[in-house]
Amino acid sequence: MTEDVERILVDEKELDEITTRLANQITQDYKNSTKPLILIVILKGSLNFASDLMRKIPLPLEIEFMKVSSYGAGTKNSGEIKIHLDLIREELEKYDLLIIEDIVDSGRTLARLTQLLKNRNANSVKTCTLLDKPSRREVEFTPDYCGKEIENEFVIGYGLDYDEKYRNLPYVGILKREIYS
Ligand code: PRP
């Protein structure tokens, strides 16, 4: 598996530093909140990030999972998202929601998902992403918490996949071009 990696982009030490920094920010921002916090973990890519991040947030919190995909540009439903696994939660007005993502690319998924959860009357909806590719943005979207902005590289590992593989690499790496071209 490692022979398919061109180079390491975010190593284990930097991942640890990023999750510590973001967890500290989140803890400061939510410590006086009157509503319970729910981390909405977006499957599958954010699994590792969410797992490391939540263990560094010493606040009472709950976790839920969603799986969504965006239709992308140029399709009949572009601008919409498909929900493969939804929240089994009601009365969202009782909660602060923090969506946990591995990467923001076009911005479609998080822009739409944020709107959807606000429309369900959540007390608040914020977003936290490990990686952001601002050069790829197709809709206006800025995450509330961002681990690292990156160039338009094909990244894998630490939850991120190519063809469902490489999610178990302990770092974020750049995939060799010959693997996907
Ligand atoms: C990735 C990522 C985001 C989305 C970002 O998910 O986890 O959900 O794409 O892209 P966007 O900003 O262009 O909307 P993917 O569909 O690859 O699913 P996975 O996490 O299960 O691999």
Side-chain angles (χ1 to χ4, degrees), residues 13-171:
K13 180 170 174 289
E14 188 175 359
L15 287 167
D16 185 54
E17 289 166 359
I18 288 171
T19 50
T20 299
R21 171 172 58 80
L22 293 177
N24 288 344
Q25 284 177 18
I26 291 164
T27 302
Q28 284 303 314
D29 292 350
Y30 286 90
K31 69 180 180 190
N32 296 321
S33 176
T34 55
K35 306 279 186 190
L37 174 62
I38 304 180
L39 303 185
I40 310 290
V41 181
I42 307 303
L43 298 172
K44 301 173 191 173
S46 66
L47 178 71
N48 294 344
F49 175 48
S51 171
D52 285 343
L53 186 71
M54 77 172 76
R55 281 179 285 174
K56 295 177 178 178
I57 303 174
L59 300 175
L61 59 77
E62 303 174 31
I63 59 168
E64 292 287 354
F65 297 93
M66 290 185 77
K67 179 152 178 57
V68 299
S69 57
S70 68
Y71 285 100
T75 64
K76 188 162 67 88
N77 296 309
S78 77
E80 298 298 316
I81 53 170
K82 184 168 175 53
I83 300 177
H84 303 279
L85 174 68
D86 205 347
L87 282 183
I88 311 171
R89 258 313 156 157
E90 294 182 344
E91 301 182 310
L92 292 185
E93 65 277 8
K94 293 182 175 171
Y95 301 97
D96 289 322
L97 306 184
L98 179 59
I99 303 170
I100 310 296
E101 263 289 21
D102 53 346
I103 191 163
V104 182
D105 194 320
S106 71
R108 291 177 186 280
T109 303
L110 278 189
R112 295 297 301 172
L113 184 58
T114 301
Q115 195 55 53
L116 182 131
L117 293 174
K118 284 182 176 170
N119 290 346
R120 292 183 185 179
N121 295 323
N123 184 59
S124 70
V125 183
K126 287 191 172 182
T127 56
C128 176
T129 186
L130 172 66
L131 302 172
D132 189 4
K133 286 183 178 176
S135 65
R136 294 267 300 168
R137 208 65 98 244
E138 293 173 14
V139 297
E140 199 174 309
F141 178 79
T142 305
D144 296 289
Y145 303 94
C146 175
K148 189 179 174 88
E149 287 190 1
I150 62 170
E151 300 297 318
N152 185 25
E153 308 271 19
F154 199 129
V155 283
I156 46 152
Y158 195 64
L160 293 139
D161 75 309
Y162 168 61
D163 199 16
E164 295 300 329
K165 293 186 280 289
Y166 307 104
R167 295 192 197 273
N168 54 324
L169 285 172
Y171 50 78

